[in-house]
């Protein structure tokens, strides 16, 4: 068993899932991988089972009853990882928007350089996004600026979904108290990590828009983030104990 687990949530990722698993398994560093699938009807689960047979003890899957939200998928995965004894846990998309070759860089920031949370950042060295429509680039970039303004965090990419957590961060958070399920989930996790004064670093990456499959992003997810950030900040000021949930 590796000491690091990569979690990939899926819904209808048959075009990508086998290739992304192969890419992670081929890395020189040893990463275990957990797929959290929300009852994909397209054969995603069957493809993962084939990879579980090909890479026994390294590829795993948890199947859920339906589309329950990105945040709850990761929380499920975090609890699974803690129960299995992993020291480092990485969030990653299935669609190759996150380059598997960047996994060792995030992992080593935590394992070798003592970061508690390493963020694969699209904006720490400018705007490193490929094949996104300009409107979405601007929305994402200014969303991070908005989060900095409201929360006081200095992060350039507060909405990033390619991150590595050290085990002690996940143990310090009450995972059952994480309330957001969509885009705001990423912000909430980072803000609570920041609130507890853990060491956060940003690692520059290039984000490439998916080539295959369908994006799960929609306007309601951005709306959750817009108002969710304000509620997070107010909670951290007026009810700190409830904010952390411990």
């Amino acid at each position: 068993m590796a000491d690091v687990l990569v979690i990939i949530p899926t819904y209808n990722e048959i075009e990508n899932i086998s290739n992304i698993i192969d890419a992670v398994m081929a890395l020189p560093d040893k990463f275990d991988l957990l797929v959290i699938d929300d009852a994909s009807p397209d054969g995603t689960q069957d493809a993962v089972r084939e990879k579980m047979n090909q890479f026994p003890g390294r590829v795993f899957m948890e199947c859920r009853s339906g589309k329950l939200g990105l945040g709850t998928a990761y929380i499920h995965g975090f609890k699974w990882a803690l129960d299995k004894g992993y020291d480092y846990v990485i969030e990653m998309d299935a669609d190759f928007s996150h380059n598997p070759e960047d996994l060792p860089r995030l992992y080593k920031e935590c394992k070798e350089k003592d970061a508690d949370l390493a963020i694969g950042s699209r904006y720490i060295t400018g705007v490193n996004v490929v094949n996104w429509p300009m409107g979405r680039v601007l929305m994402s970039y200014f969303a991070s600026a908005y989060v900095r303004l409201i929360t006081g965090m200095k992060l350039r990419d507060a909405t990033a979904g390619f991150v590595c957590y050290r085990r002690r961060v996940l143990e310090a958070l009450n995972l059952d108290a994480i309330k957001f399920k969509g885009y705001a989930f990423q912000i909430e996790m980072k803000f609570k990590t920041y609130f507890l004064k853990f060491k956060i670093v940003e690692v520059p990456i290039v984000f490439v828009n998916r080539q295959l499959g369908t994006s799960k992003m929609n306007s309601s997810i951005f709306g959750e983030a817009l108002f969710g950030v304000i509620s997070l900040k107010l909670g951290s000021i007026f009810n700190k104990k409830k904010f952390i949930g411990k």
Side-chain angles (χ1 to χ4, degrees):
M1 181 177 118
D3 66 349
V4 55
L5 178 72
V6 178
I7 300 175
I8 299 181
T10 54
Y11 181 76
N12 286 351
E13 289 290 355
I14 189 63
E15 297 98 337
N16 296 299
I17 192 62
S18 294
N19 289 335
I20 197 74
I21 291 173
D22 286 343
V24 174
M25 293 296 103
L27 293 169
D29 296 281
K30 185 178 179 182
F31 293 86
D32 287 353
L33 189 149
L34 171 67
V35 173
I36 309 286
D37 187 76
D38 277 4
S40 297
D42 68 342
T44 295
Q45 292 185 11
D46 292 335
V48 176
R49 291 187 184 97
E50 290 182 8
K51 293 302 174 183
M52 292 171 66
N53 290 330
Q54 184 178 348
F55 302 105
R58 294 190 62 194
V59 177
F60 308 92
M61 179 169 59
E62 292 282 288
C63 302
R64 305 201 301 171
S65 60
K67 293 183 71 174
L68 303 175
L70 179 73
T72 63
Y74 276 127
I75 295 299
H76 185 111
F78 292 158
K79 291 179 177 180
W80 192 94
L82 292 174
D83 182 63
K84 301 298 182 183
Y86 289 94
D87 294 321
Y88 308 93
V89 182
I90 298 177
E91 298 178 12
M92 185 180 182
D93 290 347
D95 60 7
F96 284 93
S97 56
H98 303 141
N99 187 343
E101 293 184 4
D102 288 326
L103 284 169
R105 297 170 61 221
L106 295 180
Y107 169 52
K108 289 172 183 177
E109 283 290 334
C110 292
K111 185 176 178 68
E112 298 178 4
K113 300 182 182 180
D114 205 35
D116 295 304
L117 169 57
I119 299 170
S121 177
R122 298 163 291 186
Y123 306 125
I124 192 66
T125 58
V127 178
N128 294 318
V129 177
V130 177
N131 293 336
W132 255 10
M134 182 54 66
R136 188 166 173 188
V137 173
L138 292 173
M139 186 178 292
S140 174
Y141 183 82
F142 285 111
S144 282
Y146 169 76
V147 172
R148 288 197 302 276
L149 176 67
I150 300 298
T151 65
M153 292 191 295
K154 305 303 182 185
L155 302 179
R156 304 300 300 183
D157 196 355
T159 62
F162 192 25
V163 298
C164 180
Y165 288 95
R166 186 183 285 268
R167 180 186 181 89
R168 62 191 178 206
V169 177
L170 300 177
E171 290 178 328
L173 297 172
N174 180 355
L175 297 176
D176 291 324
I178 302 297
K179 62 181 182 178
F180 292 114
K181 296 182 179 181
Y183 204 56
F185 165 80
Q186 301 294 359
I187 302 168
E188 182 176 6
M189 288 292 295
K190 294 177 185 66
F191 186 43
K192 289 186 173 180
T193 301
Y194 166 84
F195 183 82
L196 291 174
K197 301 187 183 327
F198 284 108
K199 180 182 177 182
I200 304 174
V201 300
E202 290 186 86
V203 179
I205 65 160
V206 175
F207 180 97
V208 180
N209 195 28
R210 68 160 63 229
Q211 300 295 311
L212 299 171
T214 304
S215 173
K216 314 305 187 294
M217 190 65 68
N218 58 56
S219 59
S220 66
I221 292 174
F222 283 102
E224 179 193 61
L226 179 67
F227 297 105
V229 172
I230 296 174
S231 69
L232 287 172
K233 181 61 176 179
L234 291 175
S236 72
I237 295 172
F238 295 111
N239 197 336
K240 295 181 179 180
K241 187 174 182 179
K242 185 178 179 181
F243 175 68
I244 295 301
K246 288 194 172 185

